[in-house]
């Protein structure tokens, strides 16, 4: 073999190996951790006479000063009353366009409604009630008029249409119209909660972001042709354990809460788990605060958070960017809603709780460990054919409701602070008791699949969660005669109806659906649980989407 032939063979080997090496390098790269600093601005605060226009304005000035001090950009979203205030116009026009974004905060005050030719029904010039201050209180035709007025006036002020629009709740008709006519690229809605400030959003894509169904702004779509191609980010930086367990209590990154986003211990814990624990796809949080809380209330919390975010950015552990930038990245990266996780391997303080949230375009799931026991605390199914309540109708009360389809609802079927769900149980000496184990280990297998390994006695349980199913396998016979029992609190009103032909049948809000197994059996019980799932050959496979 001559030297030329040898050289050609060496080059061939190098070229052949390059894609493999590149692929391995990509797999080893950590998933992005994205922080949006979003402050939204009101010019009216009728709930407290001491919160004047000057107080509101000075709050925004202080926010900008702090962000610039630490060289952090972000997004400012304008309620219409602030949009038409020249002081805000002048202030925000001075911000570097490459670092800051100006967008729309979608609460609807009197000047906007009246300019759209609609009678104002509120008690104040800004009325925070769902049926007055939000799009769900107006007919689809009225919503389009309101959108046209806002977007036209925004363009007069800034020379372009807003690219990001966020609110506690936005209906599907409004989002469709904003995208189809004005090409918005990002939106955001409230974190999951029950009843807080009149808003209930429960069972949706937990944290991160999703593409909504064209007929339901809260419901992730399963297919590209049925989705609105505008990512909806979940706001406020929810505590992955307490915000769910407490439901109506606000346990978030918001700096005004001295037990959460205004608490140094909580802040450090949150960002440690946010950046260090495994995250499938990407991890996301929204920092910032609306100016209605005023600077004195948020100053302490923000002055703790902003330096931490700046340091994490400098270390390359987080990306700090505008909502618009995140929306464009999401759309470029994902053709449909991705699979993501948010894991906690070490809880706050002395708590031994651990958790992982998994989301796909088909469902969400939460695994929770406490006191050495494990339970599946939450499973909600997503269905793009289920319209939201306000697609064509309006709310006439100071509440709005957005739901998905519950299979396990640990909070609403349990007690506050004590979520229920599928308990992993075993039969030992004729007694049914919870399985006990050590600390779970979270691992990403591929872009859609997460693995949790839970050591138990001499073996382990492996829980593989992918886009459409959950596979629970007992390795090395860790326990004998194990099973899942779905427990709920006494008197809880659930969506479960019956067990039939190895299916658990459900009905919620007029929609019927089921949980079935590919491996394992579903059967009724007489021990107080709703039903039991038993393994076959040491394995249970739950089907959570059409195969």
């Amino acid at each position: 073999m001559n030297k030329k032939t040898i050289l050609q063979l060496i080059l061939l080997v190098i070229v052949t190996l390059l894609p493999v090496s590149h692929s391995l390098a990509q797999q080893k790269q950590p998933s992005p951790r994205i922080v949006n600093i979003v402050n939204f601005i009101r010019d009216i605060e009728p709930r407290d006479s001491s919160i004047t226009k000057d107080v509101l304005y000075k709050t925004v000035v202080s926010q900008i000063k702090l962000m610039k001090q630490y060289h952090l950009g972000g997004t400012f979203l304008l309620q219409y009353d602030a949009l038409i205030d020249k002081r805000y116009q002048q202030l925000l026009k001075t911000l570097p366009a490459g670092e800051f974004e100006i967008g729309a905060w979608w609460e609807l005050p009197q000047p906007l409604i009246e300019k759209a030719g609609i009678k104002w029904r509120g008690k104040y010039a800004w009325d925070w009630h769902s049926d007055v201050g939000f799009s769900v209180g107006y007919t689809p035709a009225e919503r389009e008029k309101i959108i046209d007025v806002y977007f036209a006036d925004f363009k007069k002020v800034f020379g372009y249409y807003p690219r990001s629009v966020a609110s506690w709740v936005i209906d599907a008709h409004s989002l469709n119209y904003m995208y189809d006519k004005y090409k918005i690229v990002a939106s955001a809605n409230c974190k999951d909660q029950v009843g807080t400030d009149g808003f209930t959003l429960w069972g949706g894509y937990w944290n991160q972001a999703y593409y909504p169904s064209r007929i339901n702004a809260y419901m992730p779509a399963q297919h590209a042709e049925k989705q609105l191609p505008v990512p909806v980010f979940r706001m406020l930086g929810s505590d992955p354990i307490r915000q769910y367990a407490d439901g109506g209590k606000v346990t978030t990154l918001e700096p005004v809460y001295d037990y959460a986003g205004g608490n140094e211990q909580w802040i450090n814990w949150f960002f440690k788990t946010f950046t260090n624990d495994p995250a499938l796809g990407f991890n996301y949080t929204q920092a910032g605060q609306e100016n209605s809380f005023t600077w004195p209330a948020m100053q302490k919390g923000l002055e703790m958070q902003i330096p931490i975010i700046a340091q994490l950015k400098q270390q390359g552990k987080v990306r700090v960017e505008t909502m618009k930038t995140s929306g464009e990245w999401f759309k470029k990266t994902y053709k449909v809603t991705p699979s993501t996780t948010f894991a906690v391997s070490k809880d706050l303080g002395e708590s031994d709780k651990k958790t992982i949230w998994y989301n796909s375009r088909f469902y969400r799931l939460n695994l929770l460990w406490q006191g050495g026991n494990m339970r599946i605390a939450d499973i909600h199914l997503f269905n793009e054919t289920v319209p939201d309540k306000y697609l064509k109708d309006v709310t006439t009360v100071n509440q709005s409701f957005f739901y998905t389809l519950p299979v396990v609802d640990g909070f609403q079927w349990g007690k506050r602070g004590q979520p229920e769900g599928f308990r992993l149980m075993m039969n030992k000496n004729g007694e049914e008791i919870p399985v006990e184990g050590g600390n779970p280990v979270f691992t990403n297998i591929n872009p859609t699949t997460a693995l949790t390994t839970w050591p138990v006695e001499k073996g382990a349980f492996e829980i593989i969660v992918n886009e459409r199913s959950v596979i629970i396998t007992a390795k090395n016979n860790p326990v004998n005669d194990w099973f899942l029992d779905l427990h709920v609190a006494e008197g809880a009103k659930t969506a479960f109806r019956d067990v039939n032909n190895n299916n658990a049948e459900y009905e919620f809000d007029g929609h019927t659906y089921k949980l079935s197994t590919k491996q394992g059996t579903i059967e009724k019980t007489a021990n107080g649980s709703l039903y039991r799932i038993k393994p076959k050959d040491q394995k249970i496979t739950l089907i959570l989407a059409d195969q």
Side-chain angles (χ1 to χ4, degrees), residues 264-299:
E264 186 175 9
Q265 183 187 18
W266 188 93
I267 295 167
N268 286 325
W269 165 79
F270 179 85
F271 279 111
K272 184 177 181 180
T273 195
F274 177 76
T275 54
N276 292 348
D277 277 321
L280 188 68
F282 72 102
N283 215 346
Y284 172 84
T285 196
Q286 176 253 314
Q289 190 81 67
E290 69 259 44
N291 63 338
S292 294
F293 277 104
T294 76
W295 184 246
M298 70 181 72
Q299 180 179 1

Side-chain angles (χ1 to χ4, degrees), residues 8-20:
Q8 288 174 335
L9 286 172
I10 292 171
L11 287 173
L12 179 62
V13 170
I14 292 172
V15 171
T16 303
L17 289 176
L18 274 174
V20 176

Side-chain angles (χ1 to χ4, degrees), residues 150-170:
Y150 184 100
F151 276 66
D153 286 356
F154 188 99
K155 188 173 184 181
K156 287 178 184 177
V157 173
F158 294 105
Y160 56 88
Y161 293 125
R163 289 292 176 258
S164 297
V165 182
S167 183
W168 302 132
V169 294
I170 306 182

Side-chain angles (χ1 to χ4, degrees), residues 55 111 379 502:
V55 170
I379 301 175
N502 206 44

Side-chain angles (χ1 to χ4, degrees), residues 29-35 207-208 240 253 267-280 282-285 308-320 341-346 444:
Q29 289 178 354
S31 52
R33 315 299 162 108
I34 299 172
V35 178
N207 208 57
Q208 277 86 317
L253 197 57
I267 295 167
N268 286 325
W269 165 79
F270 179 85
F271 279 111
K272 184 177 181 180
T273 195
F274 177 76
T275 54
N276 292 348
D277 277 321
L280 188 68
F282 72 102
N283 215 346
Y284 172 84
T285 196
I308 292 173
I309 295 171
Q311 184 180 34
L312 291 171
K313 178 186 177 184
Q314 188 176 24
Q315 294 171 346
K317 291 186 175 182
V318 302
R319 290 172 14 196
V320 182
T341 60
F342 195 135
V344 177
S345 60
K346 174 65 176 71
N444 298 335

Side-chain angles (χ1 to χ4, degrees), residues 466-477:
N466 60 44
E467 267 198 321
R468 297 169 180 265
S469 63
V470 178
I471 305 166
I472 304 173
T473 307
K475 294 287 188 177
N476 299 323
N477 298 315

